[in-house]
Amino acid sequence: MKNSNYNFCATFTNISHEYFQIDLHQKSINKAFLQVAKKMLLSDELESKILSNTLYKALFFDEEHNLRTLLSQIHHHLKEPYTLENFLSNYFYIILNHYVKSFYGHRLGWKRISRFSSAIENFIDWSQTIDYRIEDESNLLSPEEQAIANLEIIREKKVKITVLNTYRGVPIQYKASVVHTTQNSVFLKTHPIQEAAAKEQGAIYILGNAPLEYDLFAQTKPVRYKGHILLELKEFNILKNSLFQRQSIRVQPKLQVQLQLQYDKLNYKVQLFDISLGGLAIITTQRLAIEKYASLKIKIPNTLFGKEASFNATLIQSSRFEESEKYHFNLNLTTSQETLLSRYITKQQNEIIQDLKRWV
């Protein structure tokens, strides 16, 4: 049910007057929530900030937040012996006090104050009709709502987040600022190279750091906002398992490179997919008769390093696709081989970054 279906909501969204603009009082209204929450709720500071901000938008801007679920979450965190009526009454006492003060010295009459006071009473009465045993069993905030609420806290605190893309196997990672949030999207300002990588990938990762509990993944598109190019993020997904942080860069060759695998008197010709200091991946249309964790030798032609090279390797993973197979190997490198591979990867990385700068 939308908030506009409740009569009290129409009053809440129209309480502003020339001496009291509700959008300029978000800080004091959220402070009222946090003041009461500190005494009556078991929630931590982060949870309280998310709730206070979401309730402010739901009550006074009729945004798409379900009041039942918000009240249910407050109810769920109440300390003994407090009730939801206690909490809401104290919350609105503070807000109403700010509101009444805005009338001092002005000839605005009592009607606005009376309407707001009646709406508060009706809202609290309505809150007592909800069966919170049922509400508590439902998801209180969707993952997307939770993600946007957390990013709004980051915007308010003016702290930066870390974002990540992968371009041709090279991780692109810079800091970004949250510029603006709406009920279903977030706008980021980030490094031009990150912007180009995100545009190419059509998506971006946000690495989890307080108040973000988990990494996030979102669809992106560049948009113009107040004269600046920003990334608009939508369709958020919370990644409960953190992103695998590669210790080394994986690069893909520009041209196809054919490798030779030697295992148990068998020889396979396969195509190199990508390579790093830690290992390499190959693709092939045939299934290889190689057991997981088997040791083998990989021969690489001179087209990759300028000279032929041979590496000892271990198969660690394989996966199947409709028309091909992909195999991942760990490389057991000598010191000279590590130097050779490091020089190649650094050269490829620089070329890939230069290629990405064409889009900046």
Side-chain angles (χ1 to χ4, degrees):
M1 183 182 292
K2 290 186 178 181
N3 298 348
S4 56
N5 290 341
Y6 309 127
N7 292 331
F8 48 76
C9 283
T11 302
F12 288 154
T13 56
N14 288 282
I15 66 170
S16 293
H17 57 76
E18 58 183 311
Y19 305 109
F20 185 94
Q21 299 298 316
I22 190 64
D23 57 326
L24 301 180
H25 287 266
Q26 179 177 1
K27 186 175 181 180
S28 60
I29 292 174
N30 284 347
K31 186 177 179 180
F33 186 102
L34 296 175
Q35 181 178 332
V36 182
K38 187 175 182 180
K39 179 180 180 181
M40 299 188 185
L41 298 187
L42 294 169
S43 57
D44 59 29
E45 184 178 358
L46 173 58
E47 289 175 313
S48 294
K49 286 182 177 179
I50 293 172
L51 276 174
S52 65
N53 193 53
T54 308
L55 185 60
Y56 163 79
K57 292 179 179 179
L59 288 177
F60 301 108
F61 293 92
D62 197 26
E63 291 194 2
E64 292 297 318
H65 300 291
N66 191 310
L67 283 174
R68 287 177 177 269
T69 57
L70 286 170
L71 293 178
S72 181
Q73 190 157 3
I74 296 170
H75 180 270
H76 177 74
H77 287 96
L78 283 169
K79 297 178 182 177
E80 293 286 352
Y82 300 112
T83 65
L84 186 62
E85 183 179 4
N86 297 148
F87 182 92
L88 293 175
S89 294
N90 281 271
Y91 171 61
F92 280 111
Y93 287 154
I94 302 172
I95 296 172
L96 188 59
N97 183 47
H98 285 297
Y99 191 63
V100 170
K101 285 180 179 179
S102 70
F103 287 78
Y104 292 176
H106 307 297
R107 298 181 179 179
L108 296 174
W110 285 93
K111 287 186 178 180
R112 288 177 179 270
I113 298 174
S114 178
R115 283 198 297 267
F116 187 28
S117 178
S118 295
I120 292 172
E121 185 176 0
N122 291 335
F123 174 62
I124 294 175
D125 286 345
W126 171 77
S127 72
Q128 307 305 303
T129 68
I130 301 171
D131 187 345
Y132 294 106
R133 292 171 301 175
I134 297 174
E135 293 290 326
D136 285 344
E137 293 175 0
S138 62
N139 290 324
L140 301 174
L141 290 178
S142 70
E144 187 168 46
E145 287 175 325
Q146 191 75 51
I148 294 174
N150 287 341
L151 289 169
E152 169 60 17
I153 292 174
I154 288 172
R155 185 194 69 80
E156 291 176 342
K157 289 184 174 181
K158 297 181 180 179
V159 297
K160 292 186 181 292
I161 56 175
T162 303
V163 291
L164 173 70
N165 287 96
T166 302
Y167 181 72
R168 287 174 54 188
V170 174
I172 309 297
Q173 182 174 311
Y174 287 94
K175 294 290 185 179
S177 300
V178 180
V179 176
H180 178 58
T181 64
T182 70
Q183 58 265 36
N184 61 4
S185 63
V186 172
F187 294 80
L188 295 186
K189 179 64 178 176
T190 189
H191 193 282
I193 291 179
Q194 192 82 55
E195 181 184 307
K199 181 179 178 181
E200 182 74 13
Q201 190 174 352
I204 199 166
Y205 292 96
I206 300 174
L207 303 186
N209 200 357
L212 297 176
E213 186 178 357
Y214 301 108
D215 298 331
L216 303 174
F217 179 76
Q219 302 299 312
T220 64
K221 70 173 181 179
V223 296
R224 186 168 291 277
Y225 179 79
K226 294 185 178 181
H228 299 279
I229 298 297
L230 304 178
L231 291 177
E232 181 182 16
L233 279 58
K234 286 189 172 184
E235 300 179 28
F236 289 85
N237 289 288
I238 294 178
L239 307 178
K240 293 296 181 73
N241 295 320
S242 295
L243 291 172
F244 176 65
Q245 296 295 304
R246 292 171 174 164
Q247 294 181 346
S248 53
I249 294 169
R250 304 165 68 96
V251 296
Q252 299 170 350
K254 292 187 202 176
L255 304 175
Q256 289 190 5
V257 176
Q258 194 173 67
L259 310 181
Q260 184 177 8
L261 305 184
Q262 295 181 340
Y263 171 70
D264 195 23
K265 299 182 180 179
L266 297 174
N267 288 281
Y268 299 100
K269 290 185 178 180
V270 297
Q271 182 179 325
L272 176 64
F273 180 77
D274 63 26
I275 190 168
S276 72
L277 280 174
L280 61 78
I282 62 96
I283 52 175
T284 177
T285 55
Q286 60 179 318
R287 182 172 293 187
L288 307 183
I290 303 176
E291 295 182 359
K292 191 174 182 180
Y293 305 122
S295 298
L296 65 152
K297 191 174 291 292
I298 300 178
K299 290 190 173 182
I300 300 177
N302 57 14
T303 53
L304 201 67
F305 304 128
K307 63 178 182 179
E308 292 186 354
S310 180
F311 299 111
N312 293 321
T314 303
L315 175 64
I316 57 171
Q317 191 58 267
S318 63
S319 51
R320 296 186 62 186
F321 304 95
E322 185 176 356
E323 296 179 351
S324 64
E325 307 263 343
K326 188 175 183 181
Y327 294 85
H328 301 263
F329 300 90
N330 270 343
L331 296 178
N332 306 313
L333 302 175
T334 64
T335 302
S336 60
Q337 288 175 333
E338 186 172 328
T339 301
L340 178 68
L341 192 49
S342 179
R343 287 174 181 170
Y344 169 77
I345 290 172
T346 301
K347 181 174 180 294
Q348 289 296 104
Q349 180 188 5
N350 291 336
E351 290 180 1
I352 289 170
I353 295 297
Q354 290 301 317
D355 181 55
L356 189 58
K357 285 182 178 179
R358 295 187 298 110
W359 303 98
V360 175

